[in-house]
Amino acid sequence: MEILGIDIGGSGIKGALVNAETGEMLTERYRIPTPKSKKPKDMAKVVAEIVDHFDYDGPVGCGFPSIVKNGVCKSPGNLDPSWVGVNIDELFTEYTGHEFTVLNDADAAGYASMNYGVGKGKDGFVVMITIGTGLGSGAFYNGVLIPNFELGQIPYKKFKKIEKWAAASAKEREDLSFKKWGKRFNKFLELVELIVCPDLIIVGGGTSKNWEEFSHRIKIDTEVVKAELMNHAGIIGAAVACLREQHHGHLH
Ligand code: BGC
């Protein structure tokens, strides 16, 4: 079944049509920068532009960069704080006329990896980490999603959350080399290992395309692999989650 997947990030909103049964992307990715205000209505307009770009009239799957519970935004993430409490499903339906399934962006990326990528068939505790504006995390136990893991929120040094220090946005802001930033990312992974002790960590998000530049800085005991679907995983996973909701009425 063909489903439109949308991945909302702190810097870009991206969409593509996906074969949600095979996990294949059927079109080019269409991307519009995230509006500077990062406010609900401005972002909903961009979501509507993405939907209009495609000749499509079914339900839409959407990864969103915050805690999402029953379609409602529960944390600001790196967006405007006015998002908290907004029913994202309803807002996007109002702006597009399409039915929406919204879930956390890293959970969506994890869905893609667990179904069609390196996580396929992996039992035990698998953690997906996405590197972008923030540090996202998706947790899977024997392939089943435990939604809204927020490992990027671990406080570190003077930072309220470690993602402020170790995400791709910190690398950019402070103009860090891959060597310097890679050490920070490794520190983050050390804490992840210490706190939740996964069997496997999959690294995705925009920065994973530079894997060769920093993977040798990762020095933890847990196996760490690159997500092959890279920054398409969020789009593909959102479409897959949407198909599941269509079939089962819920995501699991
Ligand atoms: C948010 C997460 C999100 C991550 C990546 C963080 O700021 O708290 O919910 O998954 O950014 O977008």
Side-chain angles (χ1 to χ4, degrees):
M1 190 178 170
E2 186 177 299
I3 291 195
L4 176 59
I6 294 184
D7 182 20
I8 299 189
S11 62
I13 302 182
K14 302 134 265 181
L17 289 176
V18 175
N19 179 333
E21 269 124 11
T22 62
E24 226 182 313
M25 238 165 71
L26 303 171
T27 61
E28 288 282 298
R29 193 176 83 131
Y30 181 60
R31 179 186 190 276
I32 299 178
T34 305
K36 287 242 154 37
S37 76
K38 298 190 184 178
K39 287 192 173 163
K41 286 184 181 163
D42 295 339
M43 287 176 62
K45 280 185 201 147
V46 173
V47 168
E49 273 182 60
I50 304 251
V51 174
D52 286 347
H53 173 83
F54 295 95
D55 181 20
Y56 179 72
D57 52 26
V60 181
C62 179
F64 193 83
S66 79
I67 300 176
V68 181
K69 269 204 149 166
N70 303 318
V72 177
C73 175
K74 292 287 188 185
S75 69
N78 291 296
L79 303 177
D80 188 75
S82 61
W83 268 107
V84 178
V86 169
N87 188 314
I88 314 165
D89 279 15
E90 284 176 13
L91 178 73
F92 290 172
T93 298
E94 188 195 317
Y95 274 74
T96 63
H98 290 246
E99 202 185 310
F100 267 76
T101 295
V102 184
L103 73 164
N104 171 265
D105 55 352
D107 289 355
Y111 247 139
S113 287
M114 296 307 287
N115 285 289
Y116 307 108
V118 283
K120 195 169 176 191
K122 297 279 186 202
D123 277 342
F125 186 28
V126 182
V127 170
M128 170 92 201
I129 299 288
T130 61
I131 314 166
T133 307
L135 286 172
S137 48
F140 293 80
Y141 190 69
N142 289 345
V144 177
L145 172 70
I146 311 166
N148 294 309
F149 253 54
E150 286 284 332
L151 297 169
Q153 305 295 309
I154 300 169
Y156 187 69
K157 290 188 175 167
K158 61 177 186 189
F159 298 90
K160 252 170 68 189
K161 37 185 189 172
I162 196 163
E163 68 175 14
K164 280 270 173 271
W165 179 74
S169 50
K171 182 179 183 301
E172 246 171 67
R173 194 172 52 239
E174 296 180 45
D175 197 18
L176 300 173
S177 62
F178 270 107
K179 182 176 176 191
K180 283 216 167 107
W181 173 81
K183 282 187 182 164
R184 292 187 183 189
F185 185 63
N186 183 58
K187 182 70 208 176
F188 168 63
L189 293 182
E190 277 176 11
L191 292 174
V192 169
E193 182 177 62
L194 178 70
I195 297 167
V196 298
C197 197
D199 297 303
L200 173 70
I201 295 177
I202 304 174
V203 177
T207 303
S208 62
K209 61 176 182 286
N210 300 103
W211 182 247
E212 313 317 326
E213 314 244 26
F214 67 91
S215 56
H216 55 289
R217 308 270 168 217
I218 300 175
K219 294 184 173 130
I220 61 171
D221 290 337
T222 309
E223 187 187 355
V224 183
V225 294
K226 175 176 88 159
E228 291 147 355
L229 303 166
M230 291 185 287
N231 54 351
H232 292 160
I235 295 175
I236 296 169
V240 174
C242 178
L243 179 68
R244 293 211 175 168
E245 195 171 70
Q246 296 292 312
H247 285 173
H248 306 294
H250 59 82
L251 289 181
H252 311 297

